Amino acid sequence: GATHRNTLVTLAILGETYRDTGELARAVAILESAVARFKDTVGDADPETAAATHNLMLAYLDARQYARAIPLLEATLKPHRERPFCNPMEYASWLRKLALAHGATGAHELARVALEEGVAALARPPLAPGAGALRLLYDLSDVHLALGRPDRAH
């Protein structure tokens, strides 16, 4: 039936397939349906709901629907913020995506905050600042320029 777990998984896979082939409008529509059905059928805490929601967030980003992606990005970051000793590279990568989404919606100050948080995460031991931190610093410089603060750009 329409709410059977295997049907829902197939629907989510179809949405991922459309995303992978660049059919973003179809991907978004199907993944929105899959997420809603997963939530109604198995709840928010189910791993399949989380996976479909994650793929919906990526589809929103690919489709440049940044305002719709931001709440899902924030939800992705929540466990990282609650566990400060998580994978800093993964955390910084999600913060960069959040910053780019904020920047695309004109929220440059929020983009700056996210990038600075990412740089700080990459500077924590056992990591030494490397290429990932350098990329975030370049992004941070761009945000400072967009905010009209050339003196703060690196």
Side-chain angles (χ1 to χ4, degrees):
T3 58
H4 189 276
R5 181 178 286 275
N6 291 341
T7 302
L8 298 176
V9 169
T10 302
L11 186 63
I13 290 169
L14 180 61
E16 289 177 57
T17 302
Y18 280 128
R19 180 179 158 258
D20 290 343
T21 60
E23 294 185 58
L24 300 176
R26 289 178 114 174
V28 166
I30 289 171
L31 287 166
E32 285 176 337
S33 176
V35 168
R37 290 181 188 187
F38 269 120
K39 286 181 177 185
D40 288 344
T41 305
V42 296
D44 286 335
D46 189 85
E48 295 292 349
T49 304
T53 302
H54 175 82
N55 287 317
L56 175 58
M57 177 206 37
L58 295 174
Y60 283 152
L61 289 172
D62 290 347
R64 298 184 176 167
Q65 295 180 21
Y66 301 113
R68 296 172 89 181
I70 288 170
L72 299 180
L73 280 161
E74 290 286 359
T76 297
L77 287 164
K78 185 179 179 186
H80 290 280
R81 288 181 170 136
E82 292 171 354
R83 290 177 291 133
F85 299 104
C86 65
N87 179 336
M89 295 293 285
E90 180 182 351
Y91 183 44
S93 174
W94 287 115
L95 284 165
R96 182 172 185 271
K97 287 175 176 58
L98 178 62
L100 294 173
H102 278 312
T105 61
H108 298 293
E109 187 63 28
L110 292 172
R112 180 194 62 78
V113 169
L115 288 170
E116 286 180 351
E117 190 177 343
V119 170
L122 290 174
R124 283 194 305 238
L127 293 179
L134 185 60
R135 175 64 194 186
L136 289 176
L137 286 172
Y138 284 133
D139 292 339
L140 185 57
S141 292
D142 290 342
V143 168
H144 280 300
L145 292 172
L147 287 169
R149 299 181 192 154
D151 56 309
R152 305 259 338 252
H154 296 68

XYZ file of all heavy atoms in Angstrom, residues 41-91:
402
model
N 3.755 7.771 8.951
C 3.734 6.315 9.098
C 4.651 5.801 10.200
O 4.234 4.990 11.030
C 4.114 5.642 7.760
O 3.233 6.129 6.746
C 3.999 4.131 7.839
N 5.922 6.262 10.217
C 6.889 5.706 11.167
C 7.421 6.741 12.149
O 8.160 6.398 13.073
C 8.070 5.005 10.437
C 7.583 3.809 9.654
C 8.820 5.981 9.539
N 7.098 8.021 11.946
C 7.503 9.071 12.880
C 8.806 9.752 12.506
O 9.539 9.310 11.624
N 9.066 10.836 13.217
C 10.257 11.661 12.959
C 11.563 10.959 13.309
O 12.593 11.226 12.693
C 10.192 12.965 13.772
C 9.193 13.951 13.206
O 8.899 13.889 12.006
O 8.706 14.790 13.985
N 11.541 10.108 14.317
C 12.776 9.511 14.825
C 13.278 8.332 13.996
O 14.395 7.870 14.203
C 12.578 9.070 16.273
N 12.487 7.851 13.062
C 12.889 6.692 12.263
C 14.058 7.053 11.346
O 14.070 8.129 10.747
C 11.700 6.216 11.424
C 11.995 4.893 10.740
O 11.797 3.853 11.393
O 12.429 4.917 9.572
N 15.044 6.152 11.211
C 16.195 6.431 10.335
C 15.806 6.697 8.874
O 16.451 7.497 8.195
C 17.056 5.169 10.450
C 16.644 4.528 11.724
C 15.208 4.906 11.944
N 14.754 6.050 8.404
C 14.327 6.286 7.014
C 13.750 7.698 6.853
O 13.947 8.336 5.822
C 13.299 5.237 6.577
C 13.842 3.831 6.513
C 14.871 3.603 5.404
O 15.046 4.460 4.521
O 15.510 2.540 5.438
N 13.069 8.185 7.875
C 12.565 9.561 7.844
C 13.743 10.529 7.803
O 13.749 11.483 7.017
C 11.686 9.861 9.075
O 10.630 8.899 9.139
C 11.101 11.258 9.015
N 14.736 10.262 8.636
C 15.929 11.119 8.666
C 16.646 11.104 7.320
O 17.070 12.161 6.827
C 16.871 10.668 9.775
N 16.783 9.936 6.708
C 17.471 9.839 5.412
C 16.702 10.586 4.332
O 17.301 11.319 3.515
C 17.653 8.374 5.026
N 15.388 10.431 4.296
C 14.580 11.125 3.288
C 14.629 12.638 3.508
O 14.720 13.414 2.545
C 13.138 10.622 3.319
N 14.610 13.073 4.770
C 14.698 14.496 5.080
C 16.049 15.058 4.656
O 16.132 16.155 4.090
C 14.458 14.734 6.585
O 13.176 14.203 6.935
C 14.517 16.202 6.934
N 17.098 14.312 4.908
C 18.451 14.715 4.485
C 18.504 14.878 2.963
O 19.027 15.877 2.451
C 19.466 13.666 4.954
C 20.845 13.914 4.485
N 21.697 14.792 5.115
C 21.527 13.413 3.436
C 22.844 14.816 4.468
N 22.770 13.985 3.455
N 17.944 13.926 2.242
C 17.954 14.007 0.779
C 17.075 15.148 0.278
O 17.393 15.774 -0.738
C 17.543 12.675 0.167
C 18.653 11.656 0.315
O 19.813 11.962 0.109
N 18.308 10.442 0.696
N 16.002 15.447 0.985
C 15.174 16.597 0.629
C 15.977 17.888 0.804
O 15.928 18.776 -0.048
C 13.905 16.626 1.482
C 12.990 17.836 1.306
C 12.519 17.980 -0.149
C 11.803 17.735 2.246
N 16.726 17.987 1.901
C 17.563 19.162 2.128
C 18.562 19.339 0.985
O 18.741 20.445 0.463
C 18.314 19.047 3.448
C 19.244 20.219 3.688
S 20.659 19.892 4.766
C 21.150 18.259 4.385
N 19.204 18.255 0.565
C 20.160 18.329 -0.543
C 19.465 18.737 -1.838
O 20.016 19.513 -2.631
C 20.886 16.989 -0.700
C 21.788 16.585 0.464
C 22.334 15.178 0.239
C 22.917 17.589 0.665
N 18.251 18.235 -2.056
C 17.494 18.614 -3.255
C 17.147 20.102 -3.217
O 17.242 20.796 -4.238
C 16.230 17.763 -3.383
N 16.753 20.602 -2.047
C 16.489 22.042 -1.914
C 17.745 22.845 -2.250
O 17.673 23.857 -2.946
C 16.039 22.386 -0.495
C 14.621 22.045 -0.129
C 14.292 21.768 1.196
C 13.595 22.034 -1.065
C 12.991 21.482 1.573
C 12.284 21.742 -0.695
C 11.996 21.465 0.618
O 10.696 21.183 0.996
N 18.887 22.412 -1.731
C 20.139 23.126 -2.026
C 20.442 23.095 -3.516
O 20.777 24.124 -4.113
C 21.303 22.532 -1.227
C 21.299 22.804 0.273
C 22.385 21.992 0.956
C 21.457 24.282 0.569
N 20.327 21.920 -4.121
C 20.598 21.794 -5.557
C 19.648 22.652 -6.382
O 20.038 23.216 -7.407
C 20.484 20.338 -6.007
C 21.606 19.462 -5.485
O 22.608 19.996 -4.973
O 21.475 18.223 -5.591
N 18.394 22.750 -5.926
C 17.379 23.523 -6.647
C 17.430 25.015 -6.288
O 16.607 25.788 -6.761
C 15.989 22.962 -6.350
N 18.396 25.377 -5.458
C 18.571 26.764 -5.017
C 17.360 27.294 -4.262
O 17.055 28.476 -4.306
C 18.959 27.664 -6.182
C 20.280 27.256 -6.788
C 20.726 28.167 -7.867
N 22.048 27.719 -8.309
C 22.630 28.132 -9.394
N 22.024 29.011 -10.162
N 23.814 27.686 -9.723
N 16.702 26.406 -3.563
C 15.583 26.779 -2.694
C 16.141 26.915 -1.270
O 15.817 26.157 -0.363
C 14.465 25.740 -2.778
C 13.824 25.671 -4.144
C 12.713 24.641 -4.203
O 12.153 24.242 -3.197
N 12.387 24.221 -5.420
N 17.004 27.904 -1.121
C 17.792 28.038 0.101
C 16.939 28.289 1.339
O 17.231 27.741 2.403
C 18.839 29.142 -0.070
C 19.778 28.859 -1.211
C 19.771 29.646 -2.345
C 20.659 27.787 -1.153
C 20.627 29.381 -3.408
C 21.516 27.512 -2.207
C 21.490 28.310 -3.330
O 22.337 28.031 -4.368
N 15.918 29.102 1.223
C 15.075 29.383 2.389
C 14.416 28.110 2.911
O 14.202 27.966 4.120
C 14.016 30.431 2.041
N 14.109 27.183 2.009
C 13.503 25.911 2.437
C 14.562 24.961 2.989
O 14.258 24.093 3.817
C 12.768 25.279 1.264
C 11.596 26.162 0.808
C 10.982 25.659 -0.439
N 9.931 24.712 -0.072
C 9.197 24.067 -0.970
N 9.393 24.259 -2.261
N 8.262 23.247 -0.573
N 15.803 25.107 2.540
C 16.879 24.229 3.011
C 17.374 24.619 4.398
O 17.794 23.749 5.173
C 18.046 24.257 2.017
N 17.324 25.899 4.729
C 17.922 26.379 5.982
C 17.366 25.672 7.225
O 18.161 25.217 8.061
C 17.832 27.918 6.076
C 18.818 28.535 5.072
C 18.115 28.410 7.495
C 18.679 30.040 4.887
N 16.046 25.527 7.390
C 15.574 24.820 8.605
C 16.063 23.372 8.674
O 16.349 22.857 9.763
C 14.052 24.870 8.493
C 13.747 25.926 7.498
C 14.939 26.036 6.600
N 16.183 22.722 7.523
C 16.667 21.338 7.521
C 18.163 21.288 7.823
O 18.635 20.363 8.483
C 16.353 20.675 6.178
C 14.855 20.596 5.823
C 14.659 19.930 4.470
C 14.071 19.887 6.906
N 18.919 22.277 7.342
C 20.343 22.372 7.684
C 20.511 22.595 9.181
O 21.373 21.972 9.812
C 21.003 23.512 6.908
C 21.374 23.206 5.465
C 21.581 24.488 4.680
C 22.622 22.347 5.414
N 19.699 23.480 9.748
C 19.765 23.732 11.190
C 19.474 22.450 11.970
O 20.138 22.165 12.968
C 18.786 24.839 11.592
C 19.171 26.215 11.123
C 20.328 26.843 11.880
O 20.866 26.228 12.824
O 20.706 27.969 11.521
N 18.508 21.677 11.511
C 18.190 20.409 12.177
C 19.346 19.424 12.063
O 19.623 18.669 12.996
C 16.912 19.815 11.583
N 20.038 19.438 10.923
C 21.202 18.568 10.742
C 22.317 18.959 11.697
O 23.034 18.103 12.215
C 21.705 18.661 9.279
O 20.673 18.174 8.417
C 22.975 17.863 9.061
N 22.479 20.253 11.941
C 23.554 20.744 12.803
C 23.263 20.559 14.291
O 24.186 20.540 15.101
C 23.813 22.221 12.513
C 24.530 22.480 11.199
C 24.410 23.936 10.805
C 25.974 22.053 11.299
N 22.001 20.409 14.653
C 21.632 20.345 16.068
C 22.409 19.275 16.837
O 22.980 19.574 17.888
C 20.132 20.142 16.217
C 19.668 20.189 17.649
C 18.175 20.017 17.779
C 17.793 20.039 19.243
N 16.404 19.736 19.451
N 22.484 18.028 16.360
C 23.239 17.036 17.143
C 24.725 17.368 17.247
O 25.361 17.071 18.253
C 23.044 15.720 16.378
C 22.152 15.996 15.245
C 21.835 17.453 15.213
N 25.281 18.021 16.218
C 26.691 18.415 16.270
C 26.907 19.473 17.349
O 27.925 19.470 18.033
C 27.146 18.964 14.914
C 27.231 17.926 13.848
N 28.298 17.069 13.725
C 26.381 17.602 12.842
C 28.108 16.270 12.702
N 26.949 16.572 12.148
N 25.957 20.384 17.478
C 26.076 21.443 18.478
C 25.882 20.884 19.884
O 26.437 21.413 20.844
C 25.073 22.548 18.190
C 25.470 23.352 16.968
C 24.495 24.464 16.675
N 25.026 25.348 15.656
C 24.321 25.820 14.638
N 23.045 25.507 14.509
N 24.889 26.608 13.748
N 25.109 19.827 20.006
C 24.869 19.212 21.314
C 26.024 18.320 21.746
O 26.195 18.064 22.926
C 23.565 18.421 21.286
C 22.345 19.306 21.155
C 21.065 18.543 20.899
O 21.115 17.299 20.705
O 19.995 19.182 20.885
N 26.804 17.836 20.789
C 27.977 17.000 21.082
C 29.205 17.723 20.531
O 29.570 17.538 19.380
C 27.868 15.630 20.412
C 26.822 14.733 21.012
C 26.724 13.428 20.250
N 26.155 13.707 18.925
C 26.644 13.237 17.790
N 27.684 12.474 17.781
N 26.076 13.524 16.638
N 29.856 18.549 21.345
C 30.936 19.375 20.815
C 32.146 18.591 20.311
O 32.992 19.154 19.646
C 31.309 20.271 21.992
C 30.784 19.596 23.199
C 29.608 18.767 22.757
N 32.236 17.302 20.587
C 33.394 16.541 20.142
C 33.048 15.628 18.969
O 33.599 14.559 18.805
C 33.994 15.744 21.303
C 34.458 16.646 22.401
C 33.728 16.788 23.561
C 35.603 17.403 22.246
C 34.133 17.641 24.563
C 36.025 18.263 23.243
C 35.290 18.384 24.402
N 32.113 16.083 18.132
C 31.732 15.328 16.946
C 32.825 15.464 15.885
O 33.869 16.062 16.125
C 30.402 15.859 16.409
S 30.545 17.545 15.826
N 32.578 14.935 14.724
C 33.525 15.024 13.618
C 33.614 16.477 13.138
O 32.691 16.981 12.499
C 33.049 14.106 12.490
C 33.956 14.137 11.291
O 34.678 15.094 11.048
N 33.916 13.079 10.511
N 34.708 17.172 13.420
C 34.781 18.590 13.081
C 34.765 18.860 11.577
O 34.251 19.892 11.149
C 36.089 19.068 13.713
C 36.811 17.859 14.140
C 35.860 16.711 14.168
N 35.285 17.954 10.775
C 35.276 18.159 9.326
C 33.846 18.109 8.790
O 33.444 18.946 7.983
C 36.133 17.103 8.621
C 37.604 17.187 8.945
S 38.374 18.673 8.300
C 38.481 18.266 6.588
N 33.079 17.137 9.262
C 31.682 17.019 8.838
C 30.884 18.229 9.326
O 30.092 18.816 8.579
C 31.084 15.728 9.398
C 29.641 15.505 9.016
C 29.065 14.241 9.632
O 29.804 13.440 10.223
O 27.836 14.074 9.518
N 31.110 18.603 10.564
C 30.424 19.757 11.154
C 30.718 21.026 10.350
O 29.809 21.776 9.982
C 30.876 19.895 12.598
C 30.227 20.986 13.399
C 28.860 21.211 13.342
C 30.981 21.782 14.252
C 28.265 22.205 14.106
C 30.387 22.776 15.023
C 29.038 22.978 14.936
O 28.454 23.961 15.696
